[in-house]
């Protein structure tokens, strides 16, 4: 009788455990299905921009993965020290980085999470070993370092903001000394000029020649040049890959790169979310310079009331 009771209890425990696991799996599946359904509804409602149906359905999962990556990086990163210039050195899973102080670490962790999702990579348009890369809007050098780790022969890190430049030079010091990276302290535009650069003191990656948001300061006489002139000035034998995230100035910078695009047809990953018509205007500017380009929509993320295309890839 005791044996029979023990067997019944064991069977009951196994049944309860099985029911619990099935319930957990069911809830997980339901959540996944809800995310997919949400993406589908936003696509049908015309809230997905240039993102395809498949990308729209994936976007809630992509966003959730990026949030999880951000949370992991936030917990694992460690402040090593501060200096008198208002900069901080952080140890992260992607290595040590100097960043600007003033409570900007959360934005920095978000940028690290983006790099973890390979936002600037596509099966046809990623960085390849031996590439010469233009990193337009290099900021702290996160993508520059990633490109070098992917085997780039040379990365030209283009950045106009002074404190960003200081961080960039520190973060790429070893690679600069080795001749594998060079810092170019100008903005890229459609002509040589000097323009007002708005500095966002809460988020240094949002410095812009195009947007002048509330709460930003304006820095006068920041130099600009064209990509075509930059290539000639640095005597680059070719350009293989261009990454561009320059806060609304992408179309002007591409207009100043016509010769480079026509001559070398570099693979490109270009941000297309800053201005509402970027997904239409940017491909047009690119193909006016080099009609043979093919393109592919990059990662799409869930922004609550709409799905946003982050990047367009060209190859």
């Amino acid at each position: 009788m005791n044996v029979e009771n023990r067997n019944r209890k064991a069977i009951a425990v196994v049944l309860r455990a099985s029911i619990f696991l099935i319930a957990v799996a069911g809830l997980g599946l339901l959540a996944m299905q809800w995310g997919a359904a949400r993406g589908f509804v936003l696509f049908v409602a015309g809230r997905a921009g240039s993102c395809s149906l498949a990308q729209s359905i994936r976007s809630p999962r992509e966003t959730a993965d990026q949030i999880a990556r951000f949370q992991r990086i936030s917990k694992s990163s460690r402040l090593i020290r501060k200096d008198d210039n208002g900069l901080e050195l952080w140890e992260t899973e992607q290595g040590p980085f100097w960043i600007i102080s003033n409570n900007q670490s959360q934005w920095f962790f978000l940028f690290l999470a983006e790099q973890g999702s390979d936002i600037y990579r596509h099966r046809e348009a990623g960085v390849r070993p031996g590439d010469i890369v233009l990193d337009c809007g290099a900021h702290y050098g996160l993508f520059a370092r990633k490109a070098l780790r992917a085997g780039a022969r040379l990365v030209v890190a283009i950045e106009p903001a002074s404190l960003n430049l200081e961080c960039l030079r520190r973060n790429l010091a070893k690679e600069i000394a080795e001749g594998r990276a060079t810092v170019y302290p100008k903005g890229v535009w459609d002509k040589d000029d000097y323009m007002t650069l708005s500095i966002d003191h809460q988020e240094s990656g949002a410095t812009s020649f195009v947007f002048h948001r509330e709460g930003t300061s304006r820095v006068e006489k920041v130099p600009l040049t064209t990509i075509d002139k930059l290539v000639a000035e640095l005597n680059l034998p070719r350009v293989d890959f261009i990454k561009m995230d320059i806060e609304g100035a992408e179309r002007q910078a591409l207009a100043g790169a016509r010769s480079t695009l026509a001559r070398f047809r570099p693979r490109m990953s270009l941000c297309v979310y800053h201005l509402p018509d970027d997904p239409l205007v940017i491909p047009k500017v690119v193909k006016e310079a080099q009609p043979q380009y093919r393109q592919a929509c990059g990662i799409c993320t869930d922004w609550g009331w709409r799905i946003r295309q982050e990047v367009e890839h060209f190859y």
Side-chain angles (χ1 to χ4, degrees):
M1 187 69 177
N2 288 337
V3 172
E4 186 176 348
N5 286 338
R6 283 199 298 271
N7 287 341
R8 286 176 180 174
K9 288 180 180 179
I11 292 170
V13 168
V14 171
L15 285 173
R16 284 197 296 269
S18 300
I19 291 168
F20 175 76
L21 291 173
I22 291 169
V24 169
L27 288 172
L29 183 60
L30 183 62
M32 291 175 63
Q33 289 176 337
W34 164 243
R38 174 186 173 77
F40 176 81
V41 169
L42 288 171
F43 177 84
V44 171
R47 308 299 297 177
S50 299
C51 298
S52 68
L53 174 59
Q55 288 168 316
S56 300
I57 290 172
R58 287 197 304 269
S59 65
R61 182 70 262 169
E62 298 270 16
T63 306
D65 288 346
Q66 190 151 304
I67 291 170
R69 197 176 298 111
F70 164 79
Q71 292 171 337
R72 186 190 71 237
I73 291 169
S74 299
K75 291 177 181 178
S76 64
S77 298
R78 180 172 60 91
L79 176 63
I80 299 174
R81 70 174 184 271
K82 297 183 179 183
D83 72 4
D84 295 335
N85 296 319
L87 305 181
E88 299 175 348
L89 179 62
W90 284 81
E91 182 63 50
T92 77
E93 63 182 36
Q94 296 180 33
F97 284 96
W98 284 96
I99 71 169
I100 299 172
S101 299
N102 195 28
N103 300 316
Q104 294 199 21
S105 60
Q106 294 303 304
W107 284 105
F108 169 58
F109 299 148
L110 178 61
F111 300 147
L112 285 172
E114 285 183 343
Q115 294 302 325
S117 65
D118 278 336
I119 189 172
Y120 300 116
R121 183 170 184 81
H122 180 264
R123 62 182 179 274
E124 301 290 346
V127 174
R128 299 171 184 170
D131 275 358
I132 295 177
V133 176
L134 302 186
D135 182 1
C136 304
H139 194 216
Y140 295 148
L142 277 66
F143 174 76
R145 189 180 286 181
K146 192 176 185 71
L148 288 163
R149 287 174 176 168
R153 168 187 163 190
L154 174 68
V155 174
V156 180
I158 303 163
E159 174 61 46
S162 59
L163 277 180
N164 289 351
L165 281 164
E166 179 61 27
C167 293
L168 187 57
R169 292 187 176 105
R170 295 187 190 191
N171 292 333
L172 298 179
K174 179 177 180 291
E175 292 83 358
I176 292 169
E178 293 170 347
R180 300 173 60 220
T182 187
V183 173
Y184 196 84
K186 295 183 180 181
V188 280
W189 199 249
D190 58 6
K191 60 181 177 179
D192 283 347
D193 206 345
Y194 284 85
M195 286 185 65
T196 299
L197 179 65
S198 287
I199 305 294
D200 190 322
H201 295 288
Q202 298 301 315
E203 201 274 271
S204 62
T207 58
S208 179
F209 294 107
V210 176
F211 305 118
H212 303 293
R213 303 179 180 93
E214 184 178 351
T216 62
S217 63
R218 297 189 180 187
V219 178
E220 301 291 341
K221 296 184 177 179
V222 176
L224 299 100
T225 192
T226 69
I227 287 176
D228 287 341
K229 290 185 178 180
L230 177 155
V231 169
E233 178 186 337
L234 298 180
N235 197 28
L236 300 179
R238 65 183 191 277
V239 177
D240 300 300
F241 185 86
I242 297 176
K243 165 257 177 180
M244 195 176 287
D245 182 2
I246 49 177
E247 300 301 308
E250 286 81 7
R251 58 189 68 184
Q252 288 87 355
L254 290 165
R258 286 178 178 273
S259 176
T260 301
L261 302 190
R263 183 180 176 191
F264 301 117
R265 194 180 161 187
R267 286 162 272 119
M268 297 190 291
S269 293
L270 311 176
C271 285
V272 292
Y273 64 85
H274 296 113
L275 296 168
D277 59 350
D278 272 350
L280 297 175
V281 173
I282 287 176
K284 181 180 178 182
V285 175
V286 168
K287 291 183 179 180
E288 283 175 353
Q290 173 50 274
Q292 295 181 11
Y293 268 113
R294 289 180 289 174
Q295 64 189 88
C297 180
I299 188 172
C300 295
T301 52
D302 184 349
W303 281 69
W305 57 277
R306 68 186 177 99
I307 295 170
R308 187 176 85 172
Q309 180 188 356
E310 303 287 336
V311 173
E312 186 78 9
H313 302 287
F314 295 87
Y315 56 95

